[in-house]
Structure formats: structure tokens, C-alpha cells
Amino acid sequence: MGKYNPQIQVFAMKQKYPQFKSKIVDKSIIFIGDLLVKLEFPIYKVSIEYRENLSPIVRVLSPELVDKAPHVYKDKRLCLYHPENFKWRKEKLIANEIVEWTASWIYFYEVWLETTKWYGPEAVHNIEKLEDE
């Protein structure tokens, strides 16, 4: 594979999610934008950091998440997938996977707020190991 151009990430996001703005910082691209998952739910402002071959960092900027929400790391990053079930590569597009998974996470989070049950997909994993990833 040749050298990957991060501008492809920016182009794909502009095409699919024009409400997201991007900022390039070193080898990272930070996308910030709003997601309305369902009319009854609030609009969520999220930040997605593309870091080439490192897993993207996804955070909800607003509304503030409740303490001890499921599938959130201690540093407030969302856990969208188990690293053993999905391997991120820089050639994958944030617009094709990560934004959609973030929207799904928001949906299941809103349902969890109402029911206290997480209906989204889950993988059994070692919490101590994941907190360091």
C-alpha cells in the first residue's frame, strides 16, 4: 500500500456528514459535529479524533454523560468496539464506521438512561486491560 492521504478522511466526512468540521493537528484530524439520532433524543455534539493506525478517540462533548455510564472509559472516551473484534487501520474511513457506531452508541445510551439496561452489542472483556488501551 502506498502513502495514505488523510485528506481522504476529511473529504469522506464532508460528503456524508457535512455538519462536522475538521481540524488537522500533526498526524491527527479532529472532527467535531452534531448527531441527532432520534427526534425524541437531544442533539449530541461529539468529537472524533482520527489518529492514523491508532484507534480513533470518540467523546461526547454535550450533553454531559452521566457518571458510570456503560461503555465509557475513565477518560470519557466511548467504547465503540472491542479491539480484539475489530482492528482499526488508517485506511478505514471515520465516516463509514466510526460515526455510525457513535450514533448507535448514543441510541443505546439513551435507551439505557430510560431502562438501565444496555441493549447494544457487547463483548466480554478484561476491564483492566482495556482501560490502558
Side-chain angles (χ1 to χ4, degrees):
M1 245 182 258
K3 181 163 172 45
Y4 181 70
N5 181 354
Q7 293 298 331
I8 294 169
Q9 293 287 346
V10 174
F11 178 78
M13 283 292 282
K14 281 183 182 175
Q15 294 300 305
K16 200 165 185 180
Y17 300 101
Q19 74 272 28
F20 276 80
K21 304 298 178 213
S22 63
K23 178 171 67 171
I24 297 176
V25 180
D26 296 323
K27 292 185 176 188
S28 294
I29 305 168
I30 300 170
F31 298 100
I32 296 178
D34 293 338
L35 289 175
L36 177 59
V37 176
K38 193 173 177 189
L39 289 176
E40 298 85 351
F41 296 163
I43 294 172
Y44 279 73
K45 181 176 285 302
V46 299
S47 165
I48 302 170
E49 184 178 351
Y50 166 81
R51 307 179 306 150
E52 292 193 347
N53 277 323
L54 297 174
S55 293
I57 294 175
V58 181
R59 289 190 172 94
V60 169
L61 303 177
S62 67
E64 187 173 338
L65 301 178
V66 300
D67 287 340
K68 299 191 175 157
H71 305 285
V72 178
Y73 294 104
K74 285 182 182 178
D75 66 358
K76 306 288 188 192
R77 288 177 294 140
L78 303 186
C79 180
L80 300 179
Y81 59 88
H82 191 285
E84 292 177 13
N85 295 340
F86 176 80
K87 299 294 182 203
W88 178 259
R89 292 188 330 270
K90 64 184 177 181
E91 294 81 14
K92 294 179 183 271
L93 294 175
I94 296 286
N96 285 352
E97 298 182 69
I98 300 302
V99 177
E100 292 169 12
W101 291 353
T102 302
S104 294
W105 186 97
I106 290 168
Y107 176 84
F108 291 119
Y109 171 75
E110 283 289 329
V111 171
W112 174 81
L113 287 174
E114 293 294 319
T115 66
T116 68
K117 179 161 174 44
W118 188 267
Y119 288 96
E122 295 182 281
V124 177
H125 48 271
N126 181 337
I127 297 299
E128 290 79 28
K129 180 180 174 203
L130 283 180
E131 287 177 352
D132 295 332
E133 292 177 1

